[in-house]
Amino acid sequence: MCCWPLLLLWGLLPGAAAGGLGRTYPHWTLLDSEGKYWLGWDQRGSQIAFRLQVRTAGYVGFGFSPTGAMASADIVVGGVAHGRPYLQDYFTNANRELKKDAQQDYHLEYAMENSTHTIIEFTRELHTCDINDKSITDSTVRVIWAYHREDAEAGPMYHDSNRGTKSLRLLNPEKTSVLSTALPYFDLVNQDVPIPNKDTTYWCQMFKIPVFQEKHHVIKVEPVIQKGHESLVHHILLYQCSSNFNDSVLASGHECYHPNMPDAFLTCETVIFAWAIGGEGFSYPPHVGLSLGTALDPHYVLLEVHYDNPTYKEGLIDNSGLRLFYTMDIRKYDAGVIEAGLWVSLFHTIPPGMPEFQSEGHCTLECLEEALETEKPSGIHVFAVLLHAHLAGRGIRLRHFRKGKEVKLLAYDDDFDFNFQEFQYLKEEQTILPGDNLITECRYSTKDRAEMTWGGLSTRNEMCLSYLLYYPRINLTRCASIPDIMEQLQFIGVKEIYRPVTTWPFIIKSPKQYKNLSFMDAMNKFKWTKKEGLSFNKLVLGLPVNVRCSKTDNAEWSIQGMTALPPDIERPYKAEPLVCGTSSSSSLHRDFSIKLLVCLLLLSCTLCTKCQRLCPLWA
């Protein structure tokens, strides 16, 4: 039948040949749980290319949504019908009504259909400047997908249950190093941990690192999540502990931050790795590794697993953890991790009913000055960052300042998703010098909450943290701040607290309306309005902060505990304006190529009169 040669020809068009016949896509992910819908993608300059490989002979839908739902979405629908490929750009309004986009910004490169699968490849500009399209940036995007058993030449039909959403970071740089599949590894995995029927559990278990007779480098870490527990395990932290123990500390795990927690756990303060829900395995750059086997390296580590059980399920038993791949082929630099941002504390306060509220955690120039001048005056080089918040988080930015001038953002996610947190590989390593300072800036929404949100460990509490992976390793593990609480309380009218402080949370003495209330109860009693919340936010961002500047083994730099003021920013960083891409010339070239090649094919198809009648359609 003549239409099949037409279908095969599609993959041979200029600019598309490599796509259907072997073009590589460095990023792949499975979007559904049944293995039917695969997505591949690759950034190519100002464009991004996608490949959809779906087990259907009908239409395939793909798009971007601000919430993961159908409202206000940017959608493309494609497939192959009667041997002819099609691709249409759609959008939905706030009422989820599907409309064809007047500006067609998705361009078909290749299409193929067989008895089981439909494969389509297409490109679009990162920034189309079409109000109905979503710009693709370094932030998280919520991909939506759907497919149907029938085609959609006249518009897509309802997709029944064949639909879903997944958060991704599409512009994460490609990993250039290819690791041997035969690398040795060891697991740090919990054994039969009973998960309580409560919303949040932090479980801690100490492990002994395998004994190495000489230095090794860990070059890859990946999560080992028990099947079916993908939403239960929210994040995993790995801490270096004191080396002055015997193996008795390994006896059993315990709830973290509990009054009866073993004392040995308190020595584990240096974060050496962090993973959070939605993240995948992490590979270190070719010149960097996590050192094991020397006197400075961890001998004992603490695995902290955060379990999120909002439905209070009973009888859950978990066996999740981490897998560490290592090599004797030592790399040039040892990696380190710095925790920067807001020290997790009840002094981190967010009023209720706020559509937007901003918190800042400071890694002060005083801390970085002291630590770097002592350890590495030439500076350290950051190559990846994990941004971390909880359920109220909407956006996080890690800002970098030098001598009053803001330089390029170290990392950002303006569409933060609590259920998708992973290390961002920086496109270019960034150097931090003595006297620089960092601000972790977090944006929250509490518009659906009736009470205060506090800094804390529960996912219903909040955090504002950045974990910086860098080299060479120095003796600095935490660079953070705590805002002053008394000036926050003065905002709501508190005049005096009981001293000395003997209870926690501490108790208000005056005025009368707050007398004998804890400071938490007093802030919840205050009548918060949006106007009051905005005024409070302005106050908090200008308050003095208490500096946290920590070494390994619970030691502290001398600057720890001092009070500092937020920096005066003389010249904030101004990002380059987005440049709208246009592929009109390539589209014209593609359209001309299609017409020319199809007509050549049809002219040669002398035995197919139906095909000859089709040729004028391409004139």
Side-chain angles (χ1 to χ4, degrees):
M1 188 175 176
C2 189
C3 294
W4 287 111
L6 171 60
L7 178 60
L8 295 175
L9 179 64
W10 192 265
L12 301 176
L13 298 179
L21 301 178
R23 171 182 278 167
T24 58
Y25 288 79
H27 306 285
W28 282 94
T29 189
L30 182 64
L31 295 185
D32 71 326
S33 60
E34 298 179 352
K36 294 182 178 180
Y37 198 127
W38 282 92
L39 167 68
W41 72 95
D42 182 26
Q43 181 184 355
R44 297 165 186 167
S46 66
Q47 291 189 336
I48 187 166
F50 296 99
R51 177 180 171 98
L52 309 180
Q53 188 169 304
V54 188
R55 190 178 180 86
T56 184
Y59 79 75
V60 175
F62 176 78
F64 309 103
S65 162
T67 63
M70 280 293 290
S72 305
D74 174 13
I75 297 170
V76 63
V77 176
V80 179
H82 311 298
R84 297 187 61 176
Y86 61 93
L87 190 79
Q88 292 287 342
D89 186 354
Y90 292 90
F91 69 93
T92 58
N93 58 23
N95 296 320
R96 301 187 298 175
E97 296 170 327
L98 186 70
K99 299 176 182 292
K100 188 175 179 179
D101 199 332
Q103 182 175 317
Q104 293 285 304
D105 292 305
Y106 292 84
H107 304 291
L108 187 61
E109 301 283 342
Y110 171 81
M112 189 278 287
E113 180 182 287
N114 60 24
S115 60
T116 61
H117 284 77
T118 295
I119 297 174
I120 55 175
E121 295 183 1
F122 53 92
T123 60
R124 58 154 281 183
E125 297 290 331
L126 298 175
H127 313 292
T128 66
C129 292
D130 178 351
I131 60 171
N132 299 316
D133 291 347
K134 178 176 174 58
S135 283
I136 298 174
T137 68
D138 289 335
S139 295
T140 297
V141 294
R142 290 163 176 83
V143 165
I144 55 175
W145 57 269
Y147 62 92
H148 196 278
R149 64 181 179 278
E150 297 181 12
D151 277 298
E153 297 168 280
M157 295 159 283
Y158 184 62
H159 40 58
D160 300 319
S161 61
N162 301 322
R163 67 189 188 278
T165 181
K166 184 170 184 174
S167 289
L168 297 170
R169 188 168 289 110
L170 294 175
L171 303 189
N172 219 0
E174 181 182 353
K175 306 176 187 68
T176 54
S177 59
V178 178
L179 302 181
S180 167
T181 56
L183 278 175
Y185 65 85
F186 59 91
D187 289 344
L188 306 174
V189 175
N190 283 322
Q191 297 296 318
D192 298 329
V193 174
I195 310 303
N197 60 330
K198 59 181 183 179
D199 62 348
T200 297
T201 300
Y202 284 79
W203 186 262
C204 285
Q205 172 71 58
M206 287 188 73
F207 293 87
K208 186 175 184 179
I209 295 293
V211 177
F212 296 108
Q213 300 304 317
E214 54 188 306
K215 182 172 180 174
H216 290 63
H217 264 153
V218 171
I219 58 176
K220 182 178 181 179
V221 184
E222 64 182 26
V224 179
I225 307 301
Q226 181 174 322
K227 187 174 178 59
H229 287 188
E230 290 80 6
S231 62
L232 177 68
V233 181
H234 183 263
H235 72 252
I236 301 175
L237 297 180
L238 189 64
Y239 296 87
Q240 179 173 345
C241 305
S242 170
S243 300
N244 301 319
F245 293 120
N246 57 48
D247 290 356
S248 63
V249 299
L250 309 175
S252 60
H254 200 285
E255 278 200 53
C256 314
Y257 315 107
H258 190 279
N260 296 327
M261 184 176 73
D263 290 342
F265 290 8
L266 300 175
T267 72
C268 310
E269 283 207 330
T270 305
V271 175
I272 56 176
F273 185 75
W275 171 89
I277 191 169
E280 299 178 351
F282 181 85
S283 297
Y284 288 86
H287 53 297
V288 184
L290 176 64
S291 180
L292 296 177
T294 76
L296 296 175
D297 299 332
H299 297 278
Y300 294 92
V301 294
L302 181 77
L303 186 78
E304 175 187 297
V305 182
H306 172 188
Y307 295 106
D308 188 37
N309 185 17
T311 58
Y312 297 84
K313 281 187 179 180
E314 297 183 355
L316 294 173
I317 304 294
D318 184 66
N319 296 271
S320 298
L322 298 173
R323 175 165 293 168
L324 285 73
F325 296 85
Y326 61 91
T327 179
M328 291 181 62
D329 186 10
I330 302 303
R331 297 178 170 186
K332 187 173 182 180
Y333 298 106
D334 294 341
V337 181
I338 296 174
E339 179 185 284
L342 264 172
W343 180 262
V344 180
S345 162
L346 293 175
F347 295 174
H348 178 198
T349 57
I350 308 172
M354 296 299 295
E356 187 165 310
F357 189 90
Q358 184 172 307
S359 298
E360 290 180 350
H362 296 269
C363 176
T364 64
L365 65 89
E366 293 87 356
C367 178
L368 289 175
E369 182 84 49
E370 181 180 12
L372 286 172
E373 282 289 2
T374 304
E375 297 271 322
K376 192 67 178 177
S378 60
I380 57 174
H381 309 285
V382 179
F383 59 87
V385 175
L386 173 70
L387 303 172
H388 184 63
H390 284 173
L391 284 168
R394 296 295 181 270
I396 309 177
R397 292 184 163 220
L398 179 56
R399 303 171 69 187
H400 181 197
F401 302 86
R402 180 170 296 157
K403 297 179 180 178
K405 177 183 177 181
E406 183 171 11
V407 295
K408 187 177 179 181
L409 287 168
L410 272 170
Y412 73 94
D413 190 346
D414 292 335
D415 294 297
F416 176 79
D417 183 351
F418 166 77
N419 291 312
F420 178 71
Q421 302 178 53
E422 66 176 0
F423 273 104
Q424 300 181 28
Y425 295 88
L426 304 191
K427 289 182 172 65
E428 296 178 351
E429 294 177 355
Q430 300 294 318
T431 302
I432 298 177
L433 297 174
D436 287 2
N437 61 286
L438 308 174
I439 298 177
T440 302
E441 180 184 281
C442 296
R443 180 168 45 86
Y444 303 99
S445 174
T446 59
K447 62 182 181 180
D448 298 325
R449 299 188 180 190
E451 294 189 335
M452 293 289 297
T453 297
W454 309 93
L457 302 176
S458 167
T459 53
R460 279 72 185 161
N461 297 140
E462 268 310 326
M463 292 185 178
C464 182
L465 295 172
S466 303
Y467 292 96
L468 287 69
L469 278 176
Y470 72 94
Y471 69 89
R473 179 177 59 181
I474 62 172
N475 195 5
L476 177 66
T477 61
R478 184 174 287 113
C479 184
S481 67
I482 309 173
D484 183 85
I485 187 61
M486 292 310 300
E487 291 199 46
Q488 295 184 57
L489 293 174
Q490 288 170 14
F491 179 88
I492 67 168
V494 170
K495 296 180 179 179
E496 189 178 5
I497 66 172
Y498 285 103
R499 296 183 185 277
V501 173
T502 57
T503 59
W504 183 256
F506 58 76
I507 307 300
I508 308 299
K509 187 175 183 180
S510 67
K512 186 176 180 180
Q513 72 260 34
Y514 299 136
K515 186 177 177 65
N516 295 328
L517 293 180
S518 71
F519 78 84
M520 297 176 71
D521 290 336
M523 293 196 81
N524 273 320
K525 186 176 180 180
F526 184 73
K527 302 298 184 184
W528 291 100
T529 64
K530 185 177 178 181
K531 182 179 179 181
E532 295 283 8
L534 291 171
S535 297
F536 180 71
N537 201 173
K538 184 177 180 180
L539 168 78
V540 169
L541 292 177
L543 289 179
V545 298
N546 185 277
V547 174
R548 318 302 295 177
C549 194
S550 307
K551 302 179 181 180
T552 57
D553 289 330
N554 294 313
E556 300 170 350
W557 289 97
S558 66
I559 210 76
Q560 172 115 338
M562 74 161 281
T563 299
L565 290 172
D568 291 325
I569 309 304
E570 298 172 8
R571 286 175 288 175
Y573 177 74
K574 291 185 178 180
E576 295 181 5
L578 297 179
V579 178
C580 300
T582 174
S583 55
S584 57
S585 60
S586 61
S587 296
L588 289 171
H589 178 70
R590 184 187 301 108
D591 291 342
F592 176 78
S593 302
I594 292 170
K595 293 175 184 178
L596 176 63
L597 288 172
V598 169
C599 285
L600 286 174
L601 173 72
L602 298 179
L603 287 173
S604 67
C605 190
T606 56
L607 298 179
C608 182
T609 57
K610 180 180 178 182
C611 288
Q612 290 170 336
R613 289 196 301 270
L614 285 174
C615 193
L617 295 176
W618 296 88

